[in-house]
Amino acid sequence: MTITKPSEEQAAPSTPDEQREPLLRVRNLKRYYPIRKGVIARTVGHVRAVDDVSFDVYPGETLGIVGESGCGKSTTGRAIVRLETPTAGSVIFDGTDIAELSTARMRRLRTDLQMVFQDPYSSLNPQIRIGDLLAEPLIAHHRLDRSGAHAKAAEMLKIVGLPAAYLNRYPHELSGGQRQRVGIARALMLEPKLIVCDEPVSALDVSIQAQVLNLLKDLQGEFGLTYVFISHGLGAIKYISDRIVVMYLGKVMETATTAEIFARPRHPYTEILLDAYPEPNPHLRDRERIIVEGDVPDPAKPPPGCVFHTRCPYAQEICKTDVPPLTTGVHQVACHFPLAIEKLATEKAVS
Amino acid sequence: MTVTVKSDTPVETPDSVTAALGRERSSAGLVVKRFLRHRMAVAGLVIVVLMVLIAICAPLLAPHDPNRIFDSFEAAPSADHLLGTDAVGRDVLSRLIYGSRVSMSVGVGAVAVYVVIGVLLGLLAGYYGRWVDLVIMRITDVFMSFPYFMVILILVSVLGPSLLTIIAVIGVLAWPMIGRLVRGSVLSIKQSDYVQAAVTLGYSTPRILFRHILPNALSPIIVNATFGVAQAIILESGLSFLGMGVRPPAASWGNMLSEAQSITVLSSQPWIWIPPGLMILFAVLAINFVGDGLRDSMASR
Amino acid sequence: MASYLIRRLLIGIPVLLGVTVINFFIINLAPGSPADLYLSPTATPEDVARTEAELGLNQPIFVQYVRWLTQLLHGDLGVSFQNREPVAQLIGDRIGPTLLLMGTSLVVAYLIAIPIGIFAARRKNTAADYSVVGASFLGISVPHFFLGLAVIYLFALQFGWFPTGGMLTLGRGGGFVDRVEHLVLPVTVLATAIAANMVRYVRSSMIDAFGQDYIRTARAKGLGGFTITNKHALRNALIPVVTVIGVDLSALIGGAIVTEQIFQWPGIGLLTIQSIGSRDYSVLMGINLIAAIAVFAANLLTDVAYAVVDPRVAYA
């Protein structure tokens, strides 16, 4: 396995640098939701939305988190900005564990940690004009006075590619793509270091998705932003991410650079995910399809051992009993029998 | 900051927008437009405005001092006293005009008090949830367990009847409906992405509650408060009718009607009791029509 | 469902306790000492102090509350300040007429409101429908006392069809016809408001029901209007209507107080007004508590009824 050195890449941030300090360090993050039953609402079990998730995010990079709906990727994203309080584990942002901060200190730290939401229709307050919506963060945090904040709002609107006339409009007077631009502009107003993008293009028309992705990429360059980009769509993830975390049923299956994940997936689940992703190159399309059986198990009753064993074509006895640990290093995988690196390479060569 | 985006990221046309409008609360202009189509509501609004004007301009409009006692008591309507005089010899029309002040101030005052209480408690219960919600909701249950007219009657009699007591008592007792309503709205609104966004932007709780949640929970509060004004007017007149409200010599439509508890007044001096009764009926009916119109025009369906 | 019911009842316990606390608190707001009512105006301060000690009124308010609550749990509502009669007995004597008045009004209101509501729903947006809606607005807007005075003026004084008040004519033995004659006017007043409210519920839930898919299916199957109305729509439409009774009990009691006063109907409402006049707070405390427990029970029944009708409520 070879790692491309930073010097070989044009954009320095796109590769993890083991010498650099991560901006965000998620360690053993767990988020369980209690299931209550009976007269006194006693807890009879837990839905393990996020179960022991760890990863790092380096400054300037885009970390993609991918997985099917219900895999815990959104909950992970919400825990990073503390919209969810972790059941256990730590979220260390810039050296501070935000899982343990008081509400007041967290409020101050939030200016560095922003979020872009999935649904551009519901993430903008329908009663507030775009101009006020953008100026509000600066006024609320006493960064600028009203006129200063509005001037900055106008500037930001231009940066995200919307005409200044939109300042006086209400959100419902804008299209989905335009609203998402406003949502992005609002997240930028406080000049954050990290932005969690929770499926930011999933609700948009396909034709508009690329525009918004391009905008996000451009802004990253201009402002030196770091993104955690959550999506169930491999296309968007592949396009924007430097590194990818693959999640399944609340757990991390595999973590590697985008190129590695797509070229040499080591987890059977990743392989299946990629297999379901349409190959843009028609000459490579006649690969053999892997058939996945069964449904995603109930996260309230995750299977013992490896959570993926119920659907894994390569599962052995040990997979049903022992939880495979996530390996360390640059290409991390949680599997007792990771796919051989050569396997896919040979297949590709054959076809 | 002088950054411009290099790549051409064109702006798509907002045509697709109008279709997605349904999800939002209709804008103020739309509400006005729909309200104006509601004929009874507009008629009601005109009557309400007229009554408020009468209440404000009472000294200019009343032909006599409402408390002045004339020699001719229980006099039938005449040129001098258009609606006659009451059992003590006061001009009925003048008392009717001044009585509107009582009804309007109880309606507005009491509702203002309980809307404030209900909104605050509802916001707290809905936003904080957990034990705050539990405690506030149980208090709401307690207040809703009392038959309100009876409690108000007893409380007013204990505290001593007066205009201010009535406003205070209705205000302190009638908030649970608003409280429940607001709590319900908050519960759904706080899950919305724009409130979550406000949290991630690090806004203070009061800012989130009053700038982001409350304005989006306003329509049901306004509708409920409108009907509440009508309710409060009925309550005050009922209390005054029973002698537990505004007491003579101060004029209130309710206490003017209570004279009709004597059979002679009821049977042979209808000018004493029919006008105040009709005034209450018209005021309440008008406000109820306004409330109905608001409910229809603000409905988000 | 069972666990929902149990939970709902358990939640009720602190609520009931709160009802007793507030009830006790309201009465203790009253100026002056209840001891005054036991004594002649010429009593010396020593007399007052002695009586207060006898009645336990010199103890801390909390102790007084606990003692009152303990008595209450033994079914003892105390004695009237006015004539030393047990409050429970006073209320017991008056509750019959009130239940008769409220029950009859409720039945009459339903008998009027349900057919009219269905009628209006089936002729939605016609002149007939608009008149029903208009009349119901009139009904909810007219104060009980004005309507009461108006019907007495018309039907008792002008036409002489019915008596002006009371429950029976003294000296005529109070036969069935006599009692019914006395009931007609107060029931008219009380039932008007209930029916006016109910008509709107019936109308709108019938309109909703007519719009449902299963009604359209029934129509498509060729079922006639009458069968559809009765077998399919009505049953579903009446569910929300029935559950409204609980919410309305509070308003019903308020209406009954005023109506009983106007018609001198010897029920709880009249007892309330009389007790207010004589500042008999121990009776008021008893009435208020009984009424509150009744409203509480009605609210509880409403919640349970909703849960039975719509099981999703139980899991919310």
Side-chain angles (χ1 to χ4, degrees), chain B residues 164-187:
Chain B
L164 271 182
T165 318
I166 294 175
I167 292 177
V169 166
I170 298 177
V172 169
L173 289 175
W175 58 267
M177 270 311 283
I178 294 274
R180 281 195 171 189
L181 213 63
V182 173
R183 172 184 176 269
S185 307
V186 173
L187 279 182

Side-chain angles (χ1 to χ4, degrees), chain A residues 78 81 83 107 110 113-114 117 119 121-128 132 136-137 140-141 152 155-156 159 161-162 172-175 177-179 181 186 190 208 211 218 222-223, chain B residues 1-7 9-18 20-21 23-25 27 192-205 207 211-213 215-216:
Chain A
R78 291 166 57 85
V81 295
L83 282 177
R107 192 170 293 148
R110 286 190 184 282
L113 203 57
Q114 284 300 306
F117 291 82
D119 185 354
Y121 289 93
S122 65
S123 59
L124 304 180
N125 188 334
Q127 308 264 350
I128 301 180
D132 294 321
E136 190 178 9
H141 287 281
K152 186 118 181 227
E155 218 175 298
M156 191 59 82
I159 290 168
L162 292 177
H172 66 79
E173 297 173 286
L174 272 60
S175 71
Q178 291 170 334
R179 286 164 175 233
R181 286 167 192 267
R186 179 177 59 182
L190 293 168
I208 292 155
Q211 295 174 11
D218 293 337
E222 300 296 343
F223 294 96
Chain B
M1 213 166 23
T2 51
V3 192
T4 41
V5 173
K6 285 163 289 177
S7 74
T9 41
V11 176
E12 67 275 15
T13 45
D15 301 344
S16 56
V17 180
T18 24
L21 262 170
R23 245 187 281 183
E24 269 104 274
R25 204 188 77 109
S27 60
S192 73
D193 283 350
Y194 61 82
V195 171
Q196 307 274 304
V199 172
T200 59
L201 285 161
Y203 295 163
S204 63
T205 306
R207 178 179 281 272
R211 192 168 152 78
H212 293 271
I213 294 181
N216 287 290

Side-chain angles (χ1 to χ4, degrees), chain B residues 201-279:
Chain B
L201 285 161
Y203 295 163
S204 63
T205 306
R207 178 179 281 272
I208 293 174
L209 285 177
F210 292 105
R211 192 168 152 78
H212 293 271
I213 294 181
L214 188 56
N216 287 290
L218 227 45
S219 322
I221 301 176
I222 291 172
V223 171
N224 199 286
T226 308
F227 289 120
V229 171
Q231 276 294 316
I233 289 174
I234 289 196
L235 279 175
E236 180 278 323
S237 57
L239 290 170
S240 297
F241 174 79
L242 294 174
M244 282 294 136
V246 175
R247 297 225 263 201
S252 132
W253 295 339
N255 71 28
M256 291 171 78
L257 263 163
S258 72
E259 285 187 34
Q261 290 193 67
S262 110
I263 295 282
T264 32
V265 172
L266 187 62
S267 60
S268 50
Q269 288 144 14
W271 63 85
I272 293 181
W273 63 274
I274 290 182
L278 288 179
M279 286 304 278

Side-chain angles (χ1 to χ4, degrees), chain A residues 73-84 109-119 123-124 137 179-200 216 225-230, chain B residues 192-202:
Chain A
K73 55 187 191 302
S74 277
T75 310
T76 306
R78 291 166 57 85
I80 292 172
V81 295
R82 215 170 87 171
L83 282 177
E84 298 276 349
L109 198 125
R110 286 190 184 282
T111 57
D112 282 340
L113 203 57
Q114 284 300 306
M115 183 146 179
V116 174
F117 291 82
Q118 171 175 5
D119 185 354
S123 59
L124 304 180
R179 286 164 175 233
Q180 199 56 299
R181 286 167 192 267
V182 174
I184 292 166
R186 179 177 59 182
L188 286 173
M189 290 306 289
L190 293 168
E191 296 169 14
K193 293 177 181 163
L194 179 82
I195 299 182
V196 175
C197 305
D198 186 7
E199 308 243 14
L216 283 171
L225 294 166
T226 307
Y227 291 143
V228 171
F229 189 96
I230 296 162
Chain B
S192 73
D193 283 350
Y194 61 82
V195 171
Q196 307 274 304
V199 172
T200 59
L201 285 161

Side-chain angles (χ1 to χ4, degrees), chain C residues 263-279:
Chain C
F263 292 94
Q264 292 297 298
W265 186 265
I268 297 286
L270 201 58
L271 179 65
T272 309
I273 306 275
Q274 287 163 347
S275 304
I276 285 174
S278 58
R279 309 185 77 74

Side-chain angles (χ1 to χ4, degrees), chain C residues 248-306:
Chain C
D248 265 9
L249 185 59
S250 174
L252 196 56
I253 292 174
I257 294 176
V258 176
T259 309
E260 289 185 8
Q261 163 69 13
I262 292 172
F263 292 94
Q264 292 297 298
W265 186 265
I268 297 286
L270 201 58
L271 179 65
T272 309
I273 306 275
Q274 287 163 347
S275 304
I276 285 174
S278 58
R279 309 185 77 74
D280 197 339
Y281 293 121
S282 65
V283 174
L284 289 176
M285 188 147 82
I287 295 175
N288 199 29
L289 187 71
I290 299 286
I293 290 173
V295 174
F296 167 82
N299 288 348
L300 191 75
L301 275 178
T302 309
D303 282 3
V304 171
Y306 269 123

